[in-house]
Amino acid sequence: MSPAAQWWLVSDLHLDDSDEDPRCPGKVLPNFLRNVPAGSGTGQHVVFVGDSFELAGLGEDESLARLESILKFHQEALRALRECTARGVRLHFMCGNHDVELARPSVADRLSVLLSPANPARVRVHPWFLHVPGVLVAEHGHQHHALHRIPEVLRTAVNGTDELGLAPLAAWHAYASKPALSRAGALARACLASEQAERRIRGLAYDELLQLESERLGLNGEAVRDLARLSRFRTVSALPVAATRMALAAAGRSIARENAPAAAGRVARTLQSHGVAVPWYISAHTHRALESPLEDCPTRYINTGTWSWDVRGHGPDQADQRAFPYAVVEVAEDGSTSGGLRYWRPDVW
C-alpha cells in the first residue's frame, strides 16, 4: 500500500556557480529527484535541510544574481527540480548559515518562480524550521552552534541580514586577510552583538515575529518562544569550546561525538513538554550523517550529513564518494510513521 505522504530530506549540497566539488552534488542530484514519486493529496515532499546554495554575506541584488547564476550553471538540476514541481512534488528549502539570504522575500519569491513557474506555491522557504504536526521537525541546526547562531533569525525573512550583525564565526572568516588584531576585534564585536541580540529576542518587537511564526508553524506561542531561546549564545562558554576544538583539530584530533547532539534532545523534550512531540527530529550542519534514538523521549534523531566533499563522521559516505545520505519519512493512512537514514548511490537504486 502506498503511503499517504512521503518526506525526502537532503542537506548541505553547497551548490555554487562552479563545479569544483569532487563529489559533484549538482550532477548527481537530478537522478535522485527523478526517483521521487509524483505527488497527490498531501503527497510527496522534498526538503533541502539548509546550505543548499552558497549565498552567505550577500546583499539583496547580489543574492538574486548569485542564485540565478548557480541555477543557470546547474541546468540539469534546475530541470529536475522543475520536473518535480510539475508532477506535484512540493519543495521545501530550510535556511542554513551558508544560504540564510534565501529567507529574503525577494529571493524566496524568485526561487519559487524559477523552480515552479506554473505554481510557485509548491516551493517554500523556511527561515528557521519546518514543523509537520505529528510527523517531524526539521531545521538546519546552526542555531544550536553558538558561533554560527543568529539569535534574531526570523528578521531574515523581513529583509535578509541587512540589519543583523555577522555571527561570530562568520565575522572571524570575513576578516581572514586582515592582521590578527583586526580579526580579533571583529570577533569581539560580533560576540557583543550576539549577546545583545539574545536580549532583544526576549522583547516585545521580536515576540511579535515569534507569534506570527507560531501561527505559520501550527505551534503554540509558548513552545515557539522556548525553542527560540534553547541555545543562547554566551561568549564565556562559546569561545573556550571553540578554542579547544581548534587546538585539537590542529593536532589531528577531534572531540566531536558520534551520537545525537545535546541540542537535539533539548528540542525534542521541549516539544514533548508542550504536548506536541514528533516521532522524528531532523537536522544537518555538522556534515555527519547519523541516526540515533534520543534519551527520555520517543523522538528519533537523524542528521542528513552532506553531499559535498567535506564528509565527517564514520558513515559509509566517508569511504565511498558514491554514497549520498538522505532521510525518508513515510506517513501511513492511520498517521503512523516509518523511515530513517538512507544512502543513495547513483548507480544503484
Side-chain angles (χ1 to χ4, degrees):
M1 182 179 295
S2 298
Q6 281 185 321
W7 295 80
W8 304 63
L9 303 101
V10 300
S11 68
D12 293 81
L13 277 68
H14 292 277
L15 297 179
D16 206 344
D17 51 1
S18 65
D19 205 9
E20 298 177 356
D21 193 316
R23 283 168 64 87
C24 302
K27 290 183 177 178
V28 299
L29 179 63
N31 284 339
F32 174 82
L33 293 173
R34 286 169 181 142
N35 281 277
V36 177
S40 61
T42 55
Q44 302 293 335
H45 302 259
V46 175
V47 183
F48 295 88
V49 195
D51 286 0
S52 304
F53 308 107
E54 290 293 337
L55 295 176
L58 301 177
E60 182 172 12
D61 291 343
E62 294 89 349
S63 296
L64 288 165
R66 175 69 66 82
L67 177 64
E68 295 201 18
S69 179
I70 291 171
L71 291 173
K72 182 178 180 180
F73 183 85
H74 296 283
Q75 278 287 325
E76 192 64 19
L78 173 60
R79 191 157 32 247
L81 289 162
R82 285 177 172 171
E83 289 170 1
C84 273
T85 60
R87 64 177 187 268
V89 178
R90 296 184 179 273
L91 305 179
H92 303 261
F93 288 84
M94 316 299 302
C95 291
N97 52 297
H98 282 256
D99 54 10
V100 65
E101 301 301 339
L102 275 183
R104 287 180 180 272
S106 60
V107 181
D109 290 346
R110 186 62 183 144
L111 179 69
S112 298
V113 171
L114 285 169
L115 302 190
S116 185
N119 192 345
R122 287 180 179 164
V123 181
R124 293 191 62 185
V125 172
H126 305 267
W128 182 12
F129 67 89
L130 167 68
H131 171 232
V132 184
V135 179
L136 62 84
V137 161
E139 63 176 324
H140 182 61
H142 62 296
Q143 288 297 95
H144 306 295
H145 180 180
L147 296 184
H148 281 303
R149 178 170 165 81
I150 303 173
E152 299 174 285
V153 64
L154 292 180
R155 295 197 186 282
T156 61
V158 179
N159 54 9
T161 55
D162 288 349
E163 297 178 9
L164 299 178
L166 290 174
L169 198 56
W172 176 256
H173 288 310
Y175 281 75
S177 61
K178 301 294 184 180
L181 189 60
S182 296
R183 204 176 188 193
L187 178 62
R189 291 191 297 274
C191 289
L192 176 61
S194 289
E195 295 269 14
Q196 293 171 336
E198 293 287 3
R199 291 193 287 272
R200 286 196 296 272
I201 69 171
R202 297 172 181 270
L204 180 60
Y206 198 73
D207 195 68
E208 292 175 355
L209 291 179
L210 289 172
Q211 188 58 41
L212 289 172
E213 187 71 357
S214 75
E215 295 168 6
R216 186 185 71 82
L217 293 169
L219 286 172
N220 70 69
E222 285 301 317
V224 171
R225 290 185 192 94
D226 287 349
L227 290 169
R229 301 166 186 173
L230 268 187
S231 299
R232 180 177 178 180
F233 174 86
R234 294 178 175 86
T235 304
V236 294
S237 59
L239 293 187
V241 170
T244 300
R245 288 180 180 274
M246 291 172 66
L248 289 173
R253 298 172 59 194
S254 172
I255 61 173
R257 300 165 61 191
E258 296 301 323
N259 52 20
R266 294 198 298 270
V267 171
R269 288 188 291 273
T270 297
L271 292 168
Q272 186 178 28
S273 71
H274 287 279
V276 287
V278 291
W280 303 92
Y281 170 64
I282 298 162
S283 72
H285 183 59
T286 65
H287 289 199
R288 295 174 181 271
L290 173 70
E291 180 177 350
S292 172
L294 295 175
E295 293 183 3
D296 303 323
C297 69
T299 303
R300 195 161 183 84
Y301 172 72
I302 296 178
N303 188 301
T304 44
T306 182
W307 282 29
S308 76
W309 65 271
D310 188 20
V311 177
R312 304 166 199 172
H314 300 309
D317 51 333
Q318 181 65 257
D320 184 358
Q321 285 200 343
R322 301 291 286 173
F324 296 87
Y326 70 100
V328 62
V329 175
E330 296 187 346
V331 185
E333 292 288 352
D334 63 0
S336 62
T337 69
S338 60
L341 180 66
R342 307 282 188 264
Y343 289 88
W344 179 69
R345 290 173 173 79
D347 52 344
V348 178
W349 181 262

